[in-house]
Amino acid sequence: MRIFALICLFTGINFAAYSQTVSLNAKEIKKLKAWIKQDAAAKNTYAKFEQAGAKYLNEAPNPLDTIRTEGLLKGNPKKIKTWLAFQDMDKMYTLALLYRLTGDQKYLDKSTSFLLAWAKINRPNGNPIDDTNVDKAVEAYDLVKDNLAVKDREVITKWLAETAWAEVNSVRMKPGRATAINNWNAHRLKVVGEIAYAIDNRELIQWTIDNLKSHIDINLYADGTSLDFKERDAMHYHIYDLQPMLKLAIIIDRAKGSNFYSYESPKGASIRKSVEWLLPYMEGKKQHEEYVNTTVQFDRDRAKNNEPGFAAGTMFEPKMALPVVELSVYFDGSQKKLLQELKEVESMQSLTDEIQREKIR
């Protein structure tokens, strides 16, 4: 207990303060249970989710010491190995959510075993394009943190804190580097922010808020476009920039912080304006040929590697923007119709997103 108290003092952890703001809180879990019980479609979605979780009970974790996807072309053995290992993230989250919905200890035990396996082996290197994929691990931890044994919580919290601080101190984010102001920084902020709120580290929370404000001012423009769109000439990267910022804005809002969806920078830029600029393309009213004027060699390399969607002149598909509208509808209910048009199937993620949009406290 004394060791854990020291860890809390060092990292600024206070488990009671923000409760579950990254995942579902107790009231939202109760609401989700009722929805599954009363609604036939939700019940069917949950049944498939539970079936997948039952299979995971018999699977072993596959952690990596180093995550490696950024800058690698499709087919690269290191990238393939990493994406196979990333399947663990969905597994640990599924098991954690099943525990909260059923109270069955076997789901908690298995989710914990996945979390511990990664916490003991994975060593973060401060690359946000790699670390952005640990979302589900953070959400899994957030769901079960109050139910973990102290010794297990120590190990997992230490890993998450190390991941966040590696991002904060990364040489890739030093002033003057492109990766300090483009989509890399958006993902960096999201990684640090979601971990900060999950472990309630006040220093990391304040760092995230301060840097989100500066990122909106530097990366987004008052006309709704973005630095990444202008550099890559691709909606793909405008979306890739907005998605992490929206996810972070939701977490901050759920913690009863400022509304960063509507927040305007000194230059008049905002996440809201950049989402609204994208809307006509999502609705099919406007079209765009992707990557025609990209300034980034990696885009051309992927085109030469025959990776789908990266050939210059490929028409933007509205469904590519689904990750944005799934998040932005949290702040703007008028986008719900567009969400239904773009969404092809219901999933547990759809259900949990809907519960969070109801803003139950």
Side-chain angles (χ1 to χ4, degrees):
M1 290 297 290
R2 181 176 295 177
I3 293 173
F4 187 60
L6 289 173
I7 289 175
C8 291
L9 180 64
F10 177 74
T11 60
I13 301 166
N14 182 328
F15 289 102
Y18 284 115
S19 184
Q20 275 80 16
T21 57
V22 179
S23 62
L24 297 183
N25 60 40
K27 290 182 179 178
E28 290 167 332
I29 289 290
K30 183 178 180 180
K31 180 72 174 179
L32 181 56
K33 284 182 182 179
W35 190 8
I36 292 168
K37 185 177 181 180
Q38 297 165 9
D39 183 88
K43 184 181 293 185
N44 182 57
T45 298
Y46 172 73
K48 295 176 182 177
F49 182 76
E50 187 177 35
Q51 188 176 36
K55 293 179 181 178
Y56 300 155
L57 290 170
N58 299 313
E59 296 186 14
N62 180 30
L64 292 174
D65 57 356
T66 304
I67 296 171
R68 190 72 176 89
T69 64
E70 179 271 319
L72 301 180
L73 295 173
K74 184 178 180 181
N76 184 292
K78 292 180 180 178
K79 193 167 191 173
I80 293 172
K81 182 180 179 181
T82 298
W83 281 113
L84 286 172
F86 277 156
Q87 294 176 14
D88 280 4
M89 303 300 167
D90 281 332
K91 293 173 184 178
M92 62 181 75
Y93 171 78
T94 297
L95 293 160
L97 184 54
L98 282 171
Y99 170 69
R100 291 295 304 279
L101 290 170
T102 67
D104 194 325
Q105 185 69 28
K106 68 187 178 194
Y107 293 123
L108 175 61
D109 292 344
K110 194 64 177 182
S111 181
T112 303
S113 74
F114 274 90
L115 280 163
L116 285 172
W118 277 82
K120 291 176 180 178
I121 292 176
N122 181 248
R123 298 279 68 86
N125 63 5
N127 186 316
I129 305 305
D130 290 336
D131 288 344
T132 196
N133 297 287
V134 304
D135 275 357
K136 289 302 181 183
V138 181
E139 291 176 37
Y141 169 77
D142 197 49
L143 279 167
V144 301
K145 61 188 177 185
D146 296 331
N147 307 103
L148 294 171
V150 171
K151 61 180 178 62
D152 293 338
R153 194 163 60 195
E154 289 176 16
V155 174
I156 299 165
T157 301
K158 183 174 182 292
W159 169 54
L160 293 176
E162 286 176 351
T163 300
W165 283 113
E167 291 294 346
V168 170
N169 298 313
S170 174
V171 296
R172 300 173 178 89
M173 301 306 166
K174 299 299 181 184
R177 299 192 64 159
T179 48
I181 59 175
N182 66 8
N183 67 86
W184 283 53
N185 198 43
H187 286 272
R188 172 199 189 202
L189 291 168
K190 188 253 320 188
V191 171
V192 175
E194 65 188 354
I195 290 174
Y197 280 98
I199 68 176
D200 190 22
N201 184 307
R202 301 311 173 92
E203 184 179 358
L204 287 172
I205 288 171
Q206 191 59 54
W207 181 93
T208 300
I209 290 170
D210 292 344
N211 283 273
L212 178 57
K213 289 178 180 178
S214 63
H215 185 72
I216 290 171
D217 194 51
I218 294 171
N219 185 265
L220 303 181
Y221 302 134
D223 65 357
T225 58
S226 63
L227 171 69
D228 286 87
F229 175 74
K230 291 187 180 297
E231 286 187 344
R232 315 300 281 266
D233 190 22
M235 295 294 176
H236 174 98
Y237 273 95
H238 188 71
I239 292 164
Y240 194 59
D241 211 355
L242 286 177
Q243 187 179 358
M245 283 193 276
L246 281 163
K247 188 173 180 67
L248 179 55
I250 290 171
I251 292 169
I252 294 171
D253 181 77
R254 285 170 56 75
K256 301 183 179 179
S258 300
N259 182 333
F260 275 98
Y261 183 72
S262 299
Y263 166 83
E264 287 196 15
S265 76
K267 295 179 182 176
S270 72
I271 296 173
R272 177 184 60 79
K273 287 182 180 178
S274 291
V275 170
E276 290 177 350
W277 177 81
L278 183 61
L279 283 175
Y281 298 94
M282 289 193 279
E283 295 166 343
K285 296 176 181 177
K286 290 185 177 181
Q287 288 76 43
H288 183 261
E289 295 181 15
E290 300 280 83
Y291 300 105
V292 174
N293 298 301
T294 182
T295 63
V296 177
Q297 181 60 42
F298 187 51
D299 295 337
R300 293 186 281 271
D301 290 343
R302 284 188 292 189
K304 290 178 183 177
N305 196 44
N306 296 317
E307 298 187 26
F310 290 100
T314 300
M315 296 304 298
F316 170 71
E317 290 287 343
K319 281 184 170 54
M320 286 180 61
L322 181 59
V324 165
V325 74
E326 283 177 325
L327 296 168
S328 60
V329 73
Y330 175 95
F331 296 100
D332 184 355
S334 68
Q335 296 176 26
K336 194 166 185 177
K337 181 180 178 182
L338 176 60
L339 174 60
Q340 294 303 321
E341 291 173 356
L342 295 177
K343 186 171 59 177
E344 294 179 343
V345 294
E346 284 288 352
S347 64
M348 278 300 292
Q349 188 65 56
S350 302
L351 300 187
T352 57
D353 286 348
E354 183 65 30
I355 291 292
Q356 287 192 340
R357 286 195 288 270
E358 293 182 9
K359 298 179 174 61
I360 301 168
R361 295 290 185 263

Short mmCIF file of all heavy atoms in Angstrom, two decimals, residues 241-283:
data_model
loop_
_atom_site.label_atom_id
_atom_site.label_comp_id
_atom_site.label_asym_id
_atom_site.label_seq_id
_atom_site.Cartn_x
_atom_site.Cartn_y
_atom_site.Cartn_z
N ASP A 241 -6.62 14.01 -38.69
CA ASP A 241 -6.30 15.06 -37.73
C ASP A 241 -7.47 15.34 -36.80
O ASP A 241 -7.32 15.50 -35.59
CB ASP A 241 -5.93 16.33 -38.50
CG ASP A 241 -4.90 17.18 -37.76
OD1 ASP A 241 -4.55 16.84 -36.61
OD2 ASP A 241 -4.44 18.18 -38.31
N LEU A 242 -8.68 15.42 -37.37
CA LEU A 242 -9.86 15.75 -36.59
C LEU A 242 -10.27 14.64 -35.62
O LEU A 242 -10.72 14.90 -34.51
CB LEU A 242 -11.04 16.06 -37.51
CG LEU A 242 -11.01 17.41 -38.23
CD1 LEU A 242 -12.21 17.52 -39.16
CD2 LEU A 242 -11.00 18.56 -37.23
N GLN A 243 -10.12 13.39 -36.06
CA GLN A 243 -10.57 12.26 -35.24
C GLN A 243 -9.98 12.27 -33.83
O GLN A 243 -10.73 12.19 -32.84
CB GLN A 243 -10.28 10.95 -35.96
CG GLN A 243 -10.86 9.73 -35.27
CD GLN A 243 -10.56 8.45 -36.03
OE1 GLN A 243 -9.94 8.46 -37.10
NE2 GLN A 243 -10.97 7.33 -35.49
N PRO A 244 -8.65 12.36 -33.65
CA PRO A 244 -8.12 12.38 -32.29
C PRO A 244 -8.51 13.62 -31.50
O PRO A 244 -8.72 13.55 -30.29
CB PRO A 244 -6.61 12.30 -32.50
CG PRO A 244 -6.37 12.77 -33.88
CD PRO A 244 -7.57 12.34 -34.66
N MET A 245 -8.62 14.77 -32.19
CA MET A 245 -9.01 15.99 -31.48
C MET A 245 -10.44 15.89 -30.98
O MET A 245 -10.76 16.34 -29.87
CB MET A 245 -8.84 17.20 -32.39
CG MET A 245 -7.40 17.65 -32.54
SD MET A 245 -7.23 19.29 -33.29
CE MET A 245 -7.32 18.86 -35.02
N LEU A 246 -11.32 15.29 -31.78
CA LEU A 246 -12.71 15.11 -31.36
C LEU A 246 -12.80 14.15 -30.18
O LEU A 246 -13.55 14.39 -29.23
CB LEU A 246 -13.54 14.58 -32.54
CG LEU A 246 -13.96 15.62 -33.57
CD1 LEU A 246 -14.41 14.94 -34.86
CD2 LEU A 246 -15.08 16.50 -33.02
N LYS A 247 -12.05 13.06 -30.25
CA LYS A 247 -12.08 12.09 -29.15
C LYS A 247 -11.61 12.75 -27.85
O LYS A 247 -12.21 12.55 -26.79
CB LYS A 247 -11.19 10.89 -29.48
CG LYS A 247 -11.31 9.73 -28.48
CD LYS A 247 -10.53 8.53 -28.95
CE LYS A 247 -10.65 7.37 -27.97
NZ LYS A 247 -12.00 6.81 -27.91
N LEU A 248 -10.57 13.55 -27.95
CA LEU A 248 -10.06 14.25 -26.77
C LEU A 248 -11.07 15.28 -26.28
O LEU A 248 -11.29 15.42 -25.07
CB LEU A 248 -8.73 14.92 -27.11
CG LEU A 248 -8.07 15.73 -26.01
CD1 LEU A 248 -7.86 14.90 -24.75
CD2 LEU A 248 -6.74 16.31 -26.50
N ALA A 249 -11.70 16.00 -27.19
CA ALA A 249 -12.70 17.01 -26.80
C ALA A 249 -13.86 16.37 -26.05
O ALA A 249 -14.40 16.95 -25.09
CB ALA A 249 -13.21 17.74 -28.04
N ILE A 250 -14.26 15.17 -26.45
CA ILE A 250 -15.34 14.45 -25.76
C ILE A 250 -14.92 14.09 -24.34
O ILE A 250 -15.68 14.26 -23.39
CB ILE A 250 -15.76 13.20 -26.56
CG1 ILE A 250 -16.47 13.60 -27.84
CG2 ILE A 250 -16.66 12.29 -25.71
CD1 ILE A 250 -16.74 12.45 -28.79
N ILE A 251 -13.69 13.58 -24.19
CA ILE A 251 -13.20 13.21 -22.86
C ILE A 251 -13.18 14.42 -21.94
O ILE A 251 -13.61 14.36 -20.78
CB ILE A 251 -11.79 12.58 -22.97
CG1 ILE A 251 -11.87 11.23 -23.68
CG2 ILE A 251 -11.17 12.40 -21.57
CD1 ILE A 251 -10.51 10.66 -24.06
N ILE A 252 -12.70 15.55 -22.45
CA ILE A 252 -12.64 16.78 -21.65
C ILE A 252 -14.04 17.24 -21.28
O ILE A 252 -14.30 17.64 -20.14
CB ILE A 252 -11.88 17.88 -22.41
CG1 ILE A 252 -10.41 17.48 -22.57
CG2 ILE A 252 -11.99 19.22 -21.68
CD1 ILE A 252 -9.61 18.39 -23.49
N ASP A 253 -14.97 17.17 -22.22
CA ASP A 253 -16.35 17.55 -21.93
C ASP A 253 -16.96 16.64 -20.88
O ASP A 253 -17.67 17.11 -19.98
CB ASP A 253 -17.18 17.49 -23.21
CG ASP A 253 -18.63 17.89 -22.98
OD1 ASP A 253 -18.89 19.11 -22.88
OD2 ASP A 253 -19.50 16.99 -22.89
N ARG A 254 -16.68 15.34 -20.96
CA ARG A 254 -17.23 14.39 -19.99
C ARG A 254 -16.65 14.62 -18.59
O ARG A 254 -17.28 14.28 -17.60
CB ARG A 254 -16.95 12.95 -20.46
CG ARG A 254 -17.85 12.51 -21.60
CD ARG A 254 -17.41 11.19 -22.21
NE ARG A 254 -17.30 10.11 -21.24
CZ ARG A 254 -18.34 9.46 -20.71
NH1 ARG A 254 -19.58 9.82 -21.03
NH2 ARG A 254 -18.14 8.47 -19.85
N ALA A 255 -15.46 15.21 -18.54
CA ALA A 255 -14.86 15.55 -17.25
C ALA A 255 -15.31 16.93 -16.78
O ALA A 255 -14.75 17.49 -15.85
CB ALA A 255 -13.34 15.51 -17.36
N LYS A 256 -16.33 17.47 -17.49
CA LYS A 256 -16.92 18.77 -17.17
C LYS A 256 -15.92 19.90 -17.37
O LYS A 256 -15.92 20.90 -16.64
CB LYS A 256 -17.49 18.78 -15.75
CG LYS A 256 -18.57 17.72 -15.55
CD LYS A 256 -19.19 17.79 -14.17
CE LYS A 256 -20.28 16.73 -14.03
NZ LYS A 256 -20.91 16.74 -12.69
N GLY A 257 -15.09 19.73 -18.40
CA GLY A 257 -14.15 20.78 -18.76
C GLY A 257 -14.73 21.67 -19.84
O GLY A 257 -15.94 21.66 -20.10
N SER A 258 -13.88 22.45 -20.50
CA SER A 258 -14.31 23.38 -21.54
C SER A 258 -14.82 22.63 -22.76
O SER A 258 -14.44 21.48 -23.01
CB SER A 258 -13.15 24.28 -21.95
OG SER A 258 -12.67 25.03 -20.86
N ASN A 259 -15.66 23.30 -23.55
CA ASN A 259 -16.16 22.74 -24.80
C ASN A 259 -15.15 23.05 -25.89
O ASN A 259 -15.13 24.15 -26.45
CB ASN A 259 -17.52 23.33 -25.15
CG ASN A 259 -18.11 22.73 -26.42
OD1 ASN A 259 -17.39 22.27 -27.30
ND2 ASN A 259 -19.43 22.73 -26.52
N PHE A 260 -14.28 22.08 -26.20
CA PHE A 260 -13.26 22.31 -27.21
C PHE A 260 -13.76 22.08 -28.62
O PHE A 260 -13.02 22.31 -29.58
CB PHE A 260 -12.02 21.45 -26.92
CG PHE A 260 -11.08 22.10 -25.95
CD1 PHE A 260 -11.10 21.75 -24.62
CD2 PHE A 260 -10.20 23.07 -26.38
CE1 PHE A 260 -10.25 22.36 -23.72
CE2 PHE A 260 -9.34 23.69 -25.50
CZ PHE A 260 -9.36 23.34 -24.16
N TYR A 261 -14.99 21.66 -28.77
CA TYR A 261 -15.57 21.55 -30.11
C TYR A 261 -15.84 22.95 -30.65
O TYR A 261 -15.55 23.25 -31.80
CB TYR A 261 -16.87 20.75 -30.06
CG TYR A 261 -17.50 20.52 -31.42
CD1 TYR A 261 -16.94 19.64 -32.33
CD2 TYR A 261 -18.67 21.19 -31.80
CE1 TYR A 261 -17.50 19.42 -33.58
CE2 TYR A 261 -19.25 20.98 -33.04
CZ TYR A 261 -18.66 20.10 -33.93
OH TYR A 261 -19.22 19.89 -35.17
N SER A 262 -16.37 23.81 -29.80
CA SER A 262 -16.73 25.17 -30.21
C SER A 262 -15.63 26.19 -29.93
O SER A 262 -15.68 27.32 -30.45
CB SER A 262 -18.01 25.61 -29.49
OG SER A 262 -19.08 24.76 -29.84
N TYR A 263 -14.66 25.83 -29.12
CA TYR A 263 -13.58 26.75 -28.76
C TYR A 263 -12.92 27.31 -30.02
O TYR A 263 -12.58 26.58 -30.95
CB TYR A 263 -12.52 26.02 -27.92
CG TYR A 263 -11.22 26.77 -27.79
CD1 TYR A 263 -11.05 27.77 -26.84
CD2 TYR A 263 -10.15 26.48 -28.65
CE1 TYR A 263 -9.85 28.47 -26.74
CE2 TYR A 263 -8.93 27.16 -28.55
CZ TYR A 263 -8.80 28.17 -27.60
OH TYR A 263 -7.62 28.85 -27.50
N GLU A 264 -12.74 28.64 -30.07
CA GLU A 264 -12.07 29.28 -31.19
C GLU A 264 -10.72 29.83 -30.76
O GLU A 264 -10.60 30.48 -29.71
CB GLU A 264 -12.92 30.42 -31.78
CG GLU A 264 -14.12 29.92 -32.57
CD GLU A 264 -14.72 31.00 -33.47
OE1 GLU A 264 -14.07 32.04 -33.70
OE2 GLU A 264 -15.84 30.79 -33.95
N SER A 265 -9.72 29.57 -31.55
CA SER A 265 -8.37 30.05 -31.27
C SER A 265 -8.29 31.55 -31.58
O SER A 265 -9.20 32.12 -32.19
CB SER A 265 -7.37 29.30 -32.14
OG SER A 265 -7.41 29.78 -33.47
N PRO A 266 -7.21 32.20 -31.18
CA PRO A 266 -7.04 33.62 -31.49
C PRO A 266 -7.15 33.92 -32.99
O PRO A 266 -7.52 35.03 -33.38
CB PRO A 266 -5.64 33.93 -30.96
CG PRO A 266 -5.46 32.98 -29.82
CD PRO A 266 -6.13 31.71 -30.28
N LYS A 267 -6.84 32.95 -33.84
CA LYS A 267 -6.92 33.14 -35.28
C LYS A 267 -8.30 32.79 -35.85
O LYS A 267 -8.51 32.85 -37.06
CB LYS A 267 -5.84 32.31 -35.98
CG LYS A 267 -4.42 32.74 -35.65
CD LYS A 267 -3.41 31.85 -36.36
CE LYS A 267 -1.98 32.23 -35.99
NZ LYS A 267 -0.98 31.31 -36.61
N GLY A 268 -9.23 32.38 -34.97
CA GLY A 268 -10.58 32.06 -35.41
C GLY A 268 -10.78 30.64 -35.87
O GLY A 268 -11.83 30.30 -36.45
N ALA A 269 -9.81 29.76 -35.61
CA ALA A 269 -9.94 28.35 -35.99
C ALA A 269 -10.68 27.59 -34.91
O ALA A 269 -10.63 27.95 -33.72
CB ALA A 269 -8.57 27.74 -36.20
N SER A 270 -11.36 26.51 -35.29
CA SER A 270 -12.05 25.66 -34.31
C SER A 270 -12.27 24.28 -34.90
O SER A 270 -12.31 24.11 -36.13
CB SER A 270 -13.40 26.26 -33.89
OG SER A 270 -14.35 26.15 -34.92
N ILE A 271 -12.42 23.30 -34.02
CA ILE A 271 -12.75 21.95 -34.47
C ILE A 271 -14.10 21.97 -35.18
O ILE A 271 -14.28 21.33 -36.23
CB ILE A 271 -12.76 20.98 -33.28
CG1 ILE A 271 -11.36 20.87 -32.67
CG2 ILE A 271 -13.25 19.60 -33.72
CD1 ILE A 271 -11.30 20.05 -31.38
N ARG A 272 -15.04 22.71 -34.63
CA ARG A 272 -16.38 22.79 -35.23
C ARG A 272 -16.31 23.29 -36.68
O ARG A 272 -16.92 22.69 -37.59
CB ARG A 272 -17.27 23.73 -34.41
CG ARG A 272 -18.66 23.94 -35.01
CD ARG A 272 -19.48 24.94 -34.22
NE ARG A 272 -18.84 26.25 -34.17
CZ ARG A 272 -18.88 27.13 -35.16
NH1 ARG A 272 -19.52 26.86 -36.29
NH2 ARG A 272 -18.29 28.30 -35.02
N LYS A 273 -15.57 24.35 -36.92
CA LYS A 273 -15.45 24.89 -38.29
C LYS A 273 -14.82 23.86 -39.24
O LYS A 273 -15.22 23.75 -40.40
CB LYS A 273 -14.62 26.16 -38.28
CG LYS A 273 -15.32 27.38 -37.70
CD LYS A 273 -14.42 28.61 -37.77
CE LYS A 273 -15.10 29.84 -37.19
NZ LYS A 273 -14.21 31.04 -37.23
N SER A 274 -13.85 23.11 -38.74
CA SER A 274 -13.17 22.13 -39.59
C SER A 274 -14.05 20.92 -39.88
O SER A 274 -13.91 20.29 -40.92
CB SER A 274 -11.84 21.71 -38.95
OG SER A 274 -10.92 22.78 -38.97
N VAL A 275 -14.94 20.59 -38.94
CA VAL A 275 -15.92 19.52 -39.19
C VAL A 275 -16.96 20.03 -40.19
O VAL A 275 -17.30 19.32 -41.15
CB VAL A 275 -16.61 19.08 -37.88
CG1 VAL A 275 -17.79 18.15 -38.19
CG2 VAL A 275 -15.62 18.37 -36.96
N GLU A 276 -17.45 21.24 -39.99
CA GLU A 276 -18.48 21.78 -40.87
C GLU A 276 -17.95 21.98 -42.29
O GLU A 276 -18.70 21.83 -43.26
CB GLU A 276 -19.02 23.09 -40.30
CG GLU A 276 -19.84 22.87 -39.03
CD GLU A 276 -20.32 24.15 -38.39
OE1 GLU A 276 -19.86 25.24 -38.81
OE2 GLU A 276 -21.16 24.06 -37.47
N TRP A 277 -16.67 22.32 -42.43
CA TRP A 277 -16.07 22.42 -43.76
C TRP A 277 -16.09 21.07 -44.47
O TRP A 277 -16.26 20.99 -45.70
CB TRP A 277 -14.62 22.91 -43.63
CG TRP A 277 -13.89 22.98 -44.93
CD1 TRP A 277 -13.96 23.98 -45.87
CD2 TRP A 277 -12.99 22.00 -45.46
NE1 TRP A 277 -13.15 23.68 -46.95
CE2 TRP A 277 -12.54 22.47 -46.72
CE3 TRP A 277 -12.51 20.78 -45.00
CZ2 TRP A 277 -11.65 21.76 -47.52
CZ3 TRP A 277 -11.61 20.07 -45.78
CH2 TRP A 277 -11.19 20.56 -47.02
N LEU A 278 -15.96 19.99 -43.70
CA LEU A 278 -15.94 18.63 -44.26
C LEU A 278 -17.34 18.12 -44.61
O LEU A 278 -17.48 17.25 -45.48
CB LEU A 278 -15.28 17.70 -43.25
CG LEU A 278 -15.06 16.23 -43.60
CD1 LEU A 278 -14.15 16.09 -44.81
CD2 LEU A 278 -14.46 15.49 -42.41
N LEU A 279 -18.37 18.67 -43.98
CA LEU A 279 -19.74 18.14 -44.14
C LEU A 279 -20.19 18.01 -45.60
O LEU A 279 -20.74 16.96 -45.97
CB LEU A 279 -20.73 19.00 -43.35
CG LEU A 279 -20.77 18.79 -41.84
CD1 LEU A 279 -21.71 19.79 -41.17
CD2 LEU A 279 -21.20 17.36 -41.51
N PRO A 280 -20.02 19.00 -46.46
CA PRO A 280 -20.50 18.85 -47.85
C PRO A 280 -19.84 17.67 -48.57
O PRO A 280 -20.45 17.05 -49.45
CB PRO A 280 -20.11 20.18 -48.51
CG PRO A 280 -19.98 21.14 -47.39
CD PRO A 280 -19.46 20.35 -46.24
N TYR A 281 -18.61 17.35 -48.22
CA TYR A 281 -17.91 16.21 -48.82
C TYR A 281 -18.46 14.90 -48.24
O TYR A 281 -18.58 13.90 -48.95
CB TYR A 281 -16.41 16.31 -48.57
CG TYR A 281 -15.79 17.53 -49.20
CD1 TYR A 281 -15.63 18.71 -48.47
CD2 TYR A 281 -15.38 17.52 -50.53
CE1 TYR A 281 -15.07 19.84 -49.05
CE2 TYR A 281 -14.82 18.64 -51.12
CZ TYR A 281 -14.67 19.81 -50.37
OH TYR A 281 -14.12 20.92 -50.96
N MET A 282 -18.81 14.91 -46.95
CA MET A 282 -19.43 13.73 -46.33
C MET A 282 -20.82 13.48 -46.90
O MET A 282 -21.25 12.34 -47.05
CB MET A 282 -19.50 13.92 -44.81
CG MET A 282 -18.16 13.86 -44.11
SD MET A 282 -18.32 13.71 -42.31
CE MET A 282 -18.63 15.40 -41.83
N GLU A 283 -21.52 14.55 -47.23
CA GLU A 283 -22.88 14.44 -47.75
C GLU A 283 -22.91 14.17 -49.25
O GLU A 283 -23.99 13.93 -49.82
CB GLU A 283 -23.64 15.74 -47.45
CG GLU A 283 -23.85 15.98 -45.97
CD GLU A 283 -24.28 17.41 -45.65
OE1 GLU A 283 -24.10 18.29 -46.51
OE2 GLU A 283 -24.78 17.64 -44.53
#
